[in-house]
PDB file of all heavy atoms in Angstrom:
ATOM      1  N   PRO A 289     -16.670  10.176 -11.060  1.00  0.00           N
ATOM      2  CA  PRO A 289     -17.073  11.193 -12.056  1.00  0.00           C
ATOM      3  C   PRO A 289     -17.829  12.388 -11.459  1.00  0.00           C
ATOM      4  O   PRO A 289     -17.748  13.480 -11.988  1.00  0.00           O
ATOM      5  CB  PRO A 289     -17.973  10.373 -13.025  1.00  0.00           C
ATOM      6  CG  PRO A 289     -18.413   9.158 -12.231  1.00  0.00           C
ATOM      7  CD  PRO A 289     -17.328   8.886 -11.284  1.00  0.00           C
ATOM      8  N   ALA A 290     -18.590  12.151 -10.350  1.00  0.00           N
ATOM      9  CA  ALA A 290     -19.268  13.238  -9.707  1.00  0.00           C
ATOM     10  C   ALA A 290     -18.305  14.289  -9.200  1.00  0.00           C
ATOM     11  O   ALA A 290     -18.500  15.519  -9.414  1.00  0.00           O
ATOM     12  CB  ALA A 290     -20.156  12.733  -8.558  1.00  0.00           C
ATOM     13  N   LEU A 291     -17.261  13.867  -8.562  1.00  0.00           N
ATOM     14  CA  LEU A 291     -16.250  14.815  -8.030  1.00  0.00           C
ATOM     15  C   LEU A 291     -15.454  15.425  -9.133  1.00  0.00           C
ATOM     16  O   LEU A 291     -15.090  16.634  -9.018  1.00  0.00           O
ATOM     17  CB  LEU A 291     -15.303  14.076  -7.079  1.00  0.00           C
ATOM     18  CG  LEU A 291     -15.994  13.564  -5.769  1.00  0.00           C
ATOM     19  CD1 LEU A 291     -15.017  12.679  -4.951  1.00  0.00           C
ATOM     20  CD2 LEU A 291     -16.525  14.702  -4.920  1.00  0.00           C
ATOM     21  N   GLU A 292     -15.196  14.724 -10.215  1.00  0.00           N
ATOM     22  CA  GLU A 292     -14.540  15.311 -11.354  1.00  0.00           C
ATOM     23  C   GLU A 292     -15.377  16.452 -11.943  1.00  0.00           C
ATOM     24  O   GLU A 292     -14.820  17.541 -12.247  1.00  0.00           O
ATOM     25  CB  GLU A 292     -14.228  14.240 -12.394  1.00  0.00           C
ATOM     26  CG  GLU A 292     -13.158  13.238 -12.000  1.00  0.00           C
ATOM     27  CD  GLU A 292     -13.077  12.067 -12.964  1.00  0.00           C
ATOM     28  OE1 GLU A 292     -13.794  12.086 -13.970  1.00  0.00           O
ATOM     29  OE2 GLU A 292     -12.274  11.186 -12.694  1.00  0.00           O
ATOM     30  N   SER A 293     -16.641  16.246 -12.074  1.00  0.00           N
ATOM     31  CA  SER A 293     -17.506  17.298 -12.619  1.00  0.00           C
ATOM     32  C   SER A 293     -17.576  18.469 -11.653  1.00  0.00           C
ATOM     33  O   SER A 293     -17.611  19.645 -12.088  1.00  0.00           O
ATOM     34  CB  SER A 293     -18.941  16.703 -12.868  1.00  0.00           C
ATOM     35  OG  SER A 293     -18.924  15.712 -13.826  1.00  0.00           O
ATOM     36  N   TYR A 294     -17.635  18.184 -10.390  1.00  0.00           N
ATOM     37  CA  TYR A 294     -17.696  19.182  -9.335  1.00  0.00           C
ATOM     38  C   TYR A 294     -16.460  20.122  -9.413  1.00  0.00           C
ATOM     39  O   TYR A 294     -16.620  21.339  -9.496  1.00  0.00           O
ATOM     40  CB  TYR A 294     -17.788  18.518  -8.013  1.00  0.00           C
ATOM     41  CG  TYR A 294     -17.833  19.444  -6.785  1.00  0.00           C
ATOM     42  CD1 TYR A 294     -18.532  20.629  -6.803  1.00  0.00           C
ATOM     43  CD2 TYR A 294     -17.217  19.035  -5.592  1.00  0.00           C
ATOM     44  CE1 TYR A 294     -18.608  21.439  -5.694  1.00  0.00           C
ATOM     45  CE2 TYR A 294     -17.296  19.800  -4.485  1.00  0.00           C
ATOM     46  CZ  TYR A 294     -17.954  21.036  -4.505  1.00  0.00           C
ATOM     47  OH  TYR A 294     -18.023  21.853  -3.404  1.00  0.00           O
ATOM     48  N   VAL A 295     -15.273  19.533  -9.491  1.00  0.00           N
ATOM     49  CA  VAL A 295     -14.056  20.356  -9.537  1.00  0.00           C
ATOM     50  C   VAL A 295     -13.965  21.085 -10.879  1.00  0.00           C
ATOM     51  O   VAL A 295     -13.567  22.297 -10.907  1.00  0.00           O
ATOM     52  CB  VAL A 295     -12.819  19.477  -9.329  1.00  0.00           C
ATOM     53  CG1 VAL A 295     -11.536  20.245  -9.560  1.00  0.00           C
ATOM     54  CG2 VAL A 295     -12.836  18.908  -7.894  1.00  0.00           C
ATOM     55  N   THR A 296     -14.372  20.417 -11.970  1.00  0.00           N
ATOM     56  CA  THR A 296     -14.329  21.117 -13.299  1.00  0.00           C
ATOM     57  C   THR A 296     -15.224  22.357 -13.255  1.00  0.00           C
ATOM     58  O   THR A 296     -14.860  23.369 -13.867  1.00  0.00           O
ATOM     59  CB  THR A 296     -14.776  20.142 -14.352  1.00  0.00           C
ATOM     60  OG1 THR A 296     -13.892  19.066 -14.437  1.00  0.00           O
ATOM     61  CG2 THR A 296     -14.827  20.822 -15.735  1.00  0.00           C
ATOM     62  N   SER A 297     -16.343  22.283 -12.532  1.00  0.00           N
ATOM     63  CA  SER A 297     -17.227  23.445 -12.484  1.00  0.00           C
ATOM     64  C   SER A 297     -16.613  24.615 -11.761  1.00  0.00           C
ATOM     65  O   SER A 297     -17.155  25.780 -11.932  1.00  0.00           O
ATOM     66  CB  SER A 297     -18.538  23.044 -11.790  1.00  0.00           C
ATOM     67  OG  SER A 297     -18.375  22.904 -10.389  1.00  0.00           O
ATOM     68  N   LEU A 298     -15.577  24.405 -11.010  1.00  0.00           N
ATOM     69  CA  LEU A 298     -14.952  25.473 -10.251  1.00  0.00           C
ATOM     70  C   LEU A 298     -13.847  26.213 -11.016  1.00  0.00           C
ATOM     71  O   LEU A 298     -13.325  27.215 -10.536  1.00  0.00           O
ATOM     72  CB  LEU A 298     -14.363  24.883  -8.968  1.00  0.00           C
ATOM     73  CG  LEU A 298     -15.349  24.164  -8.050  1.00  0.00           C
ATOM     74  CD1 LEU A 298     -14.676  23.477  -6.915  1.00  0.00           C
ATOM     75  CD2 LEU A 298     -16.406  25.125  -7.515  1.00  0.00           C
ATOM     76  N   PHE A 299     -13.492  25.672 -12.211  1.00  0.00           N
ATOM     77  CA  PHE A 299     -12.551  26.368 -13.025  1.00  0.00           C
ATOM     78  C   PHE A 299     -13.169  27.709 -13.499  1.00  0.00           C
ATOM     79  O   PHE A 299     -14.387  27.762 -13.770  1.00  0.00           O
ATOM     80  CB  PHE A 299     -12.197  25.534 -14.268  1.00  0.00           C
ATOM     81  CG  PHE A 299     -11.160  24.500 -14.036  1.00  0.00           C
ATOM     82  CD1 PHE A 299     -11.355  23.468 -13.107  1.00  0.00           C
ATOM     83  CD2 PHE A 299      -9.956  24.552 -14.766  1.00  0.00           C
ATOM     84  CE1 PHE A 299     -10.378  22.512 -12.874  1.00  0.00           C
ATOM     85  CE2 PHE A 299      -8.967  23.566 -14.522  1.00  0.00           C
ATOM     86  CZ  PHE A 299      -9.189  22.526 -13.570  1.00  0.00           C
ATOM     87  N   PRO A 300     -12.394  28.780 -13.599  1.00  0.00           N
ATOM     88  CA  PRO A 300     -12.960  30.082 -14.071  1.00  0.00           C
ATOM     89  C   PRO A 300     -13.405  30.013 -15.508  1.00  0.00           C
ATOM     90  O   PRO A 300     -12.878  29.237 -16.311  1.00  0.00           O
ATOM     91  CB  PRO A 300     -11.823  31.037 -13.880  1.00  0.00           C
ATOM     92  CG  PRO A 300     -10.582  30.190 -13.864  1.00  0.00           C
ATOM     93  CD  PRO A 300     -10.996  28.872 -13.276  1.00  0.00           C
ATOM     94  N   ARG A 301     -14.357  30.841 -15.845  1.00  0.00           N
ATOM     95  CA  ARG A 301     -14.872  30.891 -17.238  1.00  0.00           C
ATOM     96  C   ARG A 301     -14.126  32.002 -18.002  1.00  0.00           C
ATOM     97  O   ARG A 301     -13.730  33.009 -17.438  1.00  0.00           O
ATOM     98  CB  ARG A 301     -16.387  31.185 -17.239  1.00  0.00           C
ATOM     99  CG  ARG A 301     -17.193  30.115 -16.577  1.00  0.00           C
ATOM    100  CD  ARG A 301     -17.158  28.796 -17.397  1.00  0.00           C
ATOM    101  NE  ARG A 301     -17.909  27.755 -16.755  1.00  0.00           N
ATOM    102  CZ  ARG A 301     -17.382  26.813 -15.991  1.00  0.00           C
ATOM    103  NH1 ARG A 301     -16.108  26.821 -15.733  1.00  0.00           N
ATOM    104  NH2 ARG A 301     -18.185  25.870 -15.491  1.00  0.00           N
ATOM    105  N   ARG A 329      -6.727  22.616 -19.528  1.00  0.00           N
ATOM    106  CA  ARG A 329      -7.780  21.718 -19.166  1.00  0.00           C
ATOM    107  C   ARG A 329      -7.243  20.295 -19.067  1.00  0.00           C
ATOM    108  O   ARG A 329      -6.351  19.892 -19.813  1.00  0.00           O
ATOM    109  CB  ARG A 329      -8.935  21.734 -20.208  1.00  0.00           C
ATOM    110  CG  ARG A 329      -9.728  23.011 -20.229  1.00  0.00           C
ATOM    111  CD  ARG A 329     -10.648  23.111 -19.024  1.00  0.00           C
ATOM    112  NE  ARG A 329     -11.423  24.344 -19.108  1.00  0.00           N
ATOM    113  CZ  ARG A 329     -12.193  24.750 -18.105  1.00  0.00           C
ATOM    114  NH1 ARG A 329     -12.331  24.019 -17.013  1.00  0.00           N
ATOM    115  NH2 ARG A 329     -12.923  25.842 -18.217  1.00  0.00           N
ATOM    116  N   GLY A 330      -7.833  19.518 -18.189  1.00  0.00           N
ATOM    117  CA  GLY A 330      -7.365  18.134 -17.999  1.00  0.00           C
ATOM    118  C   GLY A 330      -6.305  18.004 -16.905  1.00  0.00           C
ATOM    119  O   GLY A 330      -6.014  16.893 -16.494  1.00  0.00           O
ATOM    120  N   ARG A 331      -5.781  19.120 -16.426  1.00  0.00           N
ATOM    121  CA  ARG A 331      -4.831  19.078 -15.346  1.00  0.00           C
ATOM    122  C   ARG A 331      -5.552  19.264 -14.019  1.00  0.00           C
ATOM    123  O   ARG A 331      -6.651  19.818 -13.949  1.00  0.00           O
ATOM    124  CB  ARG A 331      -3.768  20.160 -15.511  1.00  0.00           C
ATOM    125  CG  ARG A 331      -3.054  20.138 -16.837  1.00  0.00           C
ATOM    126  CD  ARG A 331      -1.913  21.163 -16.829  1.00  0.00           C
ATOM    127  NE  ARG A 331      -1.429  21.461 -18.162  1.00  0.00           N
ATOM    128  CZ  ARG A 331      -0.326  22.150 -18.477  1.00  0.00           C
ATOM    129  NH1 ARG A 331       0.381  22.638 -17.455  1.00  0.00           N
ATOM    130  NH2 ARG A 331       0.035  22.308 -19.693  1.00  0.00           N
ATOM    131  N   TYR A 333      -6.667  20.999 -10.625  1.00  0.00           N
ATOM    132  CA  TYR A 333      -7.101  22.355 -10.479  1.00  0.00           C
ATOM    133  C   TYR A 333      -5.951  23.330 -10.216  1.00  0.00           C
ATOM    134  O   TYR A 333      -5.748  24.335 -10.924  1.00  0.00           O
ATOM    135  CB  TYR A 333      -8.122  22.446  -9.386  1.00  0.00           C
ATOM    136  CG  TYR A 333      -8.649  23.832  -9.044  1.00  0.00           C
ATOM    137  CD1 TYR A 333      -9.783  24.319  -9.652  1.00  0.00           C
ATOM    138  CD2 TYR A 333      -8.017  24.622  -8.093  1.00  0.00           C
ATOM    139  CE1 TYR A 333     -10.307  25.558  -9.323  1.00  0.00           C
ATOM    140  CE2 TYR A 333      -8.490  25.856  -7.766  1.00  0.00           C
ATOM    141  CZ  TYR A 333      -9.649  26.364  -8.414  1.00  0.00           C
ATOM    142  OH  TYR A 333     -10.115  27.591  -8.106  1.00  0.00           O
ATOM    143  N   TRP A 423      -8.914  33.046  -9.622  1.00  0.00           N
ATOM    144  CA  TRP A 423      -8.786  31.580  -9.644  1.00  0.00           C
ATOM    145  C   TRP A 423      -8.325  31.181  -8.257  1.00  0.00           C
ATOM    146  O   TRP A 423      -7.171  30.881  -8.045  1.00  0.00           O
ATOM    147  CB  TRP A 423      -7.824  31.160 -10.724  1.00  0.00           C
ATOM    148  CG  TRP A 423      -7.843  29.686 -11.042  1.00  0.00           C
ATOM    149  CD1 TRP A 423      -8.170  28.627 -10.205  1.00  0.00           C
ATOM    150  CD2 TRP A 423      -7.585  29.076 -12.330  1.00  0.00           C
ATOM    151  NE1 TRP A 423      -8.059  27.449 -10.863  1.00  0.00           N
ATOM    152  CE2 TRP A 423      -7.719  27.685 -12.173  1.00  0.00           C
ATOM    153  CE3 TRP A 423      -7.210  29.600 -13.551  1.00  0.00           C
ATOM    154  CZ2 TRP A 423      -7.536  26.808 -13.231  1.00  0.00           C
ATOM    155  CZ3 TRP A 423      -7.026  28.715 -14.635  1.00  0.00           C
ATOM    156  CH2 TRP A 423      -7.150  27.309 -14.459  1.00  0.00           C
ATOM    157  N   LEU A 426      -8.200  26.342  -3.440  1.00  0.00           N
ATOM    158  CA  LEU A 426      -9.335  25.572  -2.836  1.00  0.00           C
ATOM    159  C   LEU A 426      -8.738  24.487  -1.901  1.00  0.00           C
ATOM    160  O   LEU A 426      -7.597  24.076  -2.046  1.00  0.00           O
ATOM    161  CB  LEU A 426     -10.212  24.944  -3.873  1.00  0.00           C
ATOM    162  CG  LEU A 426     -10.860  25.889  -4.859  1.00  0.00           C
ATOM    163  CD1 LEU A 426     -11.668  25.120  -5.932  1.00  0.00           C
ATOM    164  CD2 LEU A 426     -11.757  26.886  -4.122  1.00  0.00           C
ATOM    165  N   LEU A 431     -14.381  21.882   0.376  1.00  0.00           N
ATOM    166  CA  LEU A 431     -15.131  21.544  -0.830  1.00  0.00           C
ATOM    167  C   LEU A 431     -16.067  20.375  -0.568  1.00  0.00           C
ATOM    168  O   LEU A 431     -17.228  20.393  -0.989  1.00  0.00           O
ATOM    169  CB  LEU A 431     -14.207  21.196  -1.959  1.00  0.00           C
ATOM    170  CG  LEU A 431     -13.577  22.331  -2.773  1.00  0.00           C
ATOM    171  CD1 LEU A 431     -12.760  21.718  -3.913  1.00  0.00           C
ATOM    172  CD2 LEU A 431     -14.655  23.253  -3.341  1.00  0.00           C
ATOM    173  N   ARG A 444     -27.105  17.906  -8.637  1.00  0.00           N
ATOM    174  CA  ARG A 444     -26.475  18.325  -9.874  1.00  0.00           C
ATOM    175  C   ARG A 444     -25.309  17.480 -10.253  1.00  0.00           C
ATOM    176  O   ARG A 444     -25.213  17.044 -11.440  1.00  0.00           O
ATOM    177  CB  ARG A 444     -26.044  19.779  -9.766  1.00  0.00           C
ATOM    178  CG  ARG A 444     -25.300  20.329 -10.961  1.00  0.00           C
ATOM    179  CD  ARG A 444     -24.741  21.705 -10.721  1.00  0.00           C
ATOM    180  NE  ARG A 444     -23.881  22.165 -11.801  1.00  0.00           N
ATOM    181  CZ  ARG A 444     -23.135  23.267 -11.743  1.00  0.00           C
ATOM    182  NH1 ARG A 444     -23.139  24.022 -10.651  1.00  0.00           N
ATOM    183  NH2 ARG A 444     -22.372  23.592 -12.769  1.00  0.00           N
ATOM    184  N   PHE A 445     -24.420  17.177  -9.309  1.00  0.00           N
ATOM    185  CA  PHE A 445     -23.180  16.511  -9.688  1.00  0.00           C
ATOM    186  C   PHE A 445     -23.224  14.997  -9.423  1.00  0.00           C
ATOM    187  O   PHE A 445     -22.400  14.266  -9.999  1.00  0.00           O
ATOM    188  CB  PHE A 445     -22.018  17.132  -8.886  1.00  0.00           C
ATOM    189  CG  PHE A 445     -21.734  18.506  -9.213  1.00  0.00           C
ATOM    190  CD1 PHE A 445     -21.977  19.536  -8.327  1.00  0.00           C
ATOM    191  CD2 PHE A 445     -21.198  18.858 -10.461  1.00  0.00           C
ATOM    192  CE1 PHE A 445     -21.729  20.872  -8.658  1.00  0.00           C
ATOM    193  CE2 PHE A 445     -20.945  20.172 -10.796  1.00  0.00           C
ATOM    194  CZ  PHE A 445     -21.213  21.209  -9.907  1.00  0.00           C
ATOM    195  N   LEU A 475     -10.750  14.274  -4.119  1.00  0.00           N
ATOM    196  CA  LEU A 475     -10.737  15.740  -4.299  1.00  0.00           C
ATOM    197  C   LEU A 475      -9.308  16.273  -4.228  1.00  0.00           C
ATOM    198  O   LEU A 475      -8.969  17.179  -5.013  1.00  0.00           O
ATOM    199  CB  LEU A 475     -11.600  16.346  -3.227  1.00  0.00           C
ATOM    200  CG  LEU A 475     -13.094  16.422  -3.530  1.00  0.00           C
ATOM    201  CD1 LEU A 475     -13.883  16.950  -2.324  1.00  0.00           C
ATOM    202  CD2 LEU A 475     -13.364  17.289  -4.765  1.00  0.00           C
ATOM    203  N   LEU A 478      -7.735  15.648  -7.481  1.00  0.00           N
ATOM    204  CA  LEU A 478      -8.303  16.516  -8.516  1.00  0.00           C
ATOM    205  C   LEU A 478      -7.834  17.969  -8.364  1.00  0.00           C
ATOM    206  O   LEU A 478      -7.700  18.689  -9.355  1.00  0.00           O
ATOM    207  CB  LEU A 478      -9.827  16.439  -8.521  1.00  0.00           C
ATOM    208  CG  LEU A 478     -10.431  15.103  -8.976  1.00  0.00           C
ATOM    209  CD1 LEU A 478     -11.917  15.075  -8.605  1.00  0.00           C
ATOM    210  CD2 LEU A 478     -10.251  14.928 -10.464  1.00  0.00           C
ATOM    211  N   LEU A 479      -7.561  18.378  -7.132  1.00  0.00           N
ATOM    212  CA  LEU A 479      -7.042  19.691  -6.883  1.00  0.00           C
ATOM    213  C   LEU A 479      -5.559  19.799  -7.116  1.00  0.00           C
ATOM    214  O   LEU A 479      -5.042  20.871  -7.387  1.00  0.00           O
ATOM    215  CB  LEU A 479      -7.334  20.120  -5.406  1.00  0.00           C
ATOM    216  CG  LEU A 479      -8.809  20.333  -5.079  1.00  0.00           C
ATOM    217  CD1 LEU A 479      -8.942  20.695  -3.570  1.00  0.00           C
ATOM    218  CD2 LEU A 479      -9.429  21.443  -5.956  1.00  0.00           C
TER     219      LEU A 479
END
Side-chain angles (χ1 to χ4, degrees):
L291 294 173
E292 290 171 2
S293 297
Y294 179 37
V295 172
T296 298
S297 74
L298 302 173
F299 277 61
R301 297 293 179 262
R329 290 287 182 187
R331 305 186 195 190
Y333 178 92
W423 194 327
L426 300 177
L431 277 184
R444 176 186 172 191
F445 294 110
L475 276 175
L478 291 167
L479 292 177

